[in-house]
Amino acid sequence: MSLKEKFLSDMKEAMKEKNVLRKNTIQLVRAAVLQKEKDTLQEVSDEQILDILVQEVKKRKDALIDFKKAERQDLIEETEAELAVLSTYMPQQFSEEDLLKIIQKIIGEVGATSMKDMGKVMTLLTPQVKGRADSSQVSRIVKECLTKQ
């Protein structure tokens, strides 16, 4: 079952259960997927849907920071609930240890020795961790590894 089919199935299930938050969250992602299809005039792949999911998660995490600054508990709770729904569709996230191993392996392959080589490392690393690690976390660990050398 593709992610697109899973969204439709899960949305129908949420409607039957009268779970409004879950239904609305899935609808927002489906709308983004359908808009992408309309814009490109072709069906999106699961990989492209994963990109859309990553964008939706990032939007909510960014909004969560603002809601916490504004002390809007109602919006904080709603956004955290939406993030929980979205996380069920995301691939399992890498642990920091796993991420460190992958980064060190790529640094060795590239022969990176300083921060000047960060672009080379990130170019090879990004496709491997896409959707499975937070980009800010990846960037932080790469910087730490490159400054230690």
Side-chain angles (χ1 to χ4, degrees):
M1 177 184 288
S2 73
L3 274 174
K4 190 174 169 183
E5 293 166 344
K6 183 158 177 52
F7 285 139
L8 183 59
S9 169
D10 289 355
M11 189 177 73
K12 288 178 183 177
E13 184 180 312
M15 290 168 95
K16 288 177 187 173
E17 295 172 355
K18 297 191 183 347
N19 186 338
V20 176
L21 181 104
R22 184 163 186 225
K23 177 191 72 94
N24 289 343
T25 304
I26 294 170
Q27 266 184 329
L28 286 171
V29 175
R30 284 194 72 236
V33 169
L34 295 173
Q35 185 63 48
K36 177 84 169 181
E37 287 182 341
K38 187 176 179 183
D39 292 346
T40 61
L41 299 175
Q42 54 187 332
E43 194 166 333
V44 295
S45 66
D46 277 358
E47 186 174 315
Q48 290 170 310
I49 293 173
L50 183 60
D51 290 341
I52 292 169
L53 274 171
V54 169
Q55 289 172 348
E56 293 296 322
V57 167
K58 184 175 178 359
K59 282 181 198 176
R60 282 160 181 78
K61 284 184 178 178
D62 291 346
L64 198 56
I65 293 168
D66 293 335
F67 296 153
K68 286 181 179 177
K69 284 181 187 173
E71 297 178 13
R72 290 290 309 268
Q73 195 59 36
D74 56 332
L75 295 175
I76 292 170
E77 290 171 6
E78 182 179 336
T79 304
E80 286 175 342
E82 289 176 355
L83 281 169
V85 171
L86 292 174
S87 70
T88 62
Y89 299 101
M90 299 291 288
Q92 183 176 355
Q93 300 293 294
F94 283 124
S95 67
E96 192 148 337
E97 297 82 37
D98 293 338
L99 206 50
L100 185 60
K101 289 176 188 174
I102 294 169
I103 291 169
Q104 288 173 337
K105 179 180 171 227
I106 289 177
I107 287 174
E109 287 174 9
V110 174
T113 57
S114 70
M115 286 298 293
K116 291 179 183 176
D117 300 318
M118 186 166 176
K120 295 177 191 174
V121 174
M122 293 302 284
T123 301
L124 289 177
L125 181 62
T126 303
Q128 291 185 28
V129 299
K130 188 180 199 176
R132 298 190 64 197
D134 182 53
S135 59
S136 60
Q137 179 187 26
V138 171
S139 179
R140 178 183 52 80
I141 295 172
V142 170
K143 285 177 186 175
E144 287 173 7
C145 289
L146 290 175
T147 54
K148 288 180 184 175
Q149 295 192 355

